[in-house]
Structure formats: C-alpha cells, structure tokens
Amino acid sequence: MFKLPVLPYEYESPGKHMSAETLKYHHDKHHQAYVDKLNIALESAPELQGMPLDYLLSTGVVLPDAAKKAIINNGGGHYNHSLFWLCISPNGGGQPSGKIADMIIEKYGSYQKFVEEFSSKALGVFGSGWVWLLPNGDIITTSNQDTPITMGLSAPILCLDVWEHAYYIDYKNKRDDFVKSWWDIVDWESVSSRLDTPFSI
Ligand code: MN3
C-alpha cells in the first residue's frame, strides 16, 4: 500500500508564494486521490504489490492491460507530487550553488537564462502537465501525470506542476505569475542532493 507522504513543512509556511489553502487541496485532496486510486489499481494486480513505484513506472515492467492506465496515471501522480513537495521550501529561493550551479551555468550560460528557459517551457505546456529538470541539465515537459522515468529517462531532480489545481486558488488563470513566484521557494539544496542520490519511491 502506498501512502501519502507528510509535507516537510507547515501548510502556512510557503506563505504568499503558495497559500495554505492551495497546499491543503493539492496535497490532502489531489495527491491523496492519486495514492488511493493507485492502491485500488494494484488490488487487481497482486503480483505487483510491494514493488517500488520506480519499478512500476519504469520501462522494465510489463503492466497488466486491465490496470496499466490506472497505474501509469495514478502512480505518476503519486511519484510526481512526492517529488514536487521536496522541491520547495519556505527557506528556498535564491540562486543555486555548488555542483548544481556549475551544471546549470555550463548548460545555460547563467542561472537567469536557465530560469527563462524552464519558465518558458512551463508556460508552453498546453493543458495539464509538468516541467522537469533532469540530472544531465535537460529541461523537458510531460502531459497529464506522465513522468520522465516511464520514458526511460533518469529520475528528475526538479519538477514544477502546472496543472491548474496547483495555482488556481492563488493566481487564478495566471500561470505566469505562479511560475515567477515559485522560483522564490525552490529548495536548491534539495535539488542538488538528487544529483548524488536519485529520487526513489
Ligand atoms: Mn498537482
């Protein structure tokens, strides 16, 4: 049985960048629903129970047809949100330093250019989806709850949820305002740690 992870900060603490109301709905309702539906899907596939989520979403597993779509969608939802909560912190923001900063500057020239590129991809996602930073510095997007590991790519180190439920309460339809504000809560220490220890669940 998969479980909803506890947020590593208080609902109130990201403050004006992400309200407690948004976090409560997003974590307690949306994320919880993915966990619940994933567990229900696995009831019909007992041979997969107890397997790590990374494995269920990887290219190395053949999922039974009856449960495949539900596992990809809800397992992806659980994986993506679990990483998303770790990417932000009330003490976040500012510029990255160390290895992660070197990687970004080597690939994009400057932190600012990287932010522009990532933000522009975030605004370019049509409908619901995600933006990802991979350990090699590539920025990619996915639709719905698709996740890079299902595409055979490395575990992502940073992600941004651009589903409307991630920002509508605080920013209404203004995804660009949400993305701009989100940089002020990105936890670069956490992002950097995933260069050494890939995210796994
Ligand atoms: Mn979401």
Side-chain angles (χ1 to χ4, degrees):
M1 290 282 278
F2 288 100
K3 282 199 178 108
L4 184 70
V6 175
L7 285 181
Y9 33 79
E10 301 295 322
Y11 291 109
E12 290 75 18
S13 49
K16 65 173 180 159
H17 302 291
M18 193 179 285
S19 68
E21 190 184 6
T22 289
L23 267 174
K24 277 182 187 158
Y25 273 97
H26 201 173
H27 176 265
D28 297 9
K29 305 288 185 195
H30 291 279
H31 188 170
Q32 180 73 65
Y34 293 120
V35 173
D36 293 345
K37 288 178 187 165
L38 172 61
N39 287 329
I40 290 168
L42 289 171
E43 281 172 15
S44 68
E47 71 279 14
L48 298 176
Q49 286 172 15
M51 301 283 185
L53 188 53
D54 304 276
Y55 174 72
L56 296 179
L57 294 174
S58 73
T59 50
V61 66
V62 178
L63 298 171
D65 281 345
K68 187 173 179 174
K69 204 171 169 53
I71 291 174
I72 296 282
N73 288 343
N74 297 295
H78 180 36
Y79 180 95
N80 299 349
H81 287 89
S82 297
L83 176 61
F84 183 57
W85 308 130
L86 300 179
C87 289
I88 57 175
S89 155
N91 308 313
Q95 296 204 10
S97 59
K99 228 179 358 179
I100 183 82
D102 296 344
M103 187 270 271
I104 284 173
I105 288 165
E106 190 182 322
K107 186 112 181 170
Y108 296 95
S110 70
Y111 169 71
Q112 211 42 53
K113 283 267 182 252
F114 159 76
V115 167
E116 280 168 25
E117 179 78 15
F118 192 101
S119 302
S120 131
K121 292 217 168 168
L123 299 183
V125 173
F126 181 75
S128 300
W130 292 77
V131 195
W132 309 92
L133 176 62
L134 302 181
N136 67 0
D138 285 351
I139 301 167
I140 64 161
T141 63
T142 58
S143 294
N144 303 313
Q145 294 299 351
D146 290 349
T147 201
I149 56 171
T150 303
M151 301 155 69
L153 298 168
S154 303
I157 58 174
L158 171 70
C159 64
L160 173 58
D161 186 343
V162 292
W163 282 57
E164 264 189 359
H165 68 225
Y167 59 87
Y168 201 83
I169 292 172
D170 300 334
Y171 300 93
K172 295 297 180 274
N173 58 322
K174 293 186 175 136
R175 187 191 285 180
D176 52 341
D177 287 351
F178 165 60
V179 173
K180 219 176 282 168
S181 191
W182 176 75
W183 292 110
D184 288 330
I185 46 172
V186 170
D187 184 347
W188 284 110
E189 252 180 61
S190 164
V191 177
S192 184
S193 74
R194 284 183 283 280
L195 286 174
D196 299 318
T197 311
F199 178 66
S200 176
I201 184 174

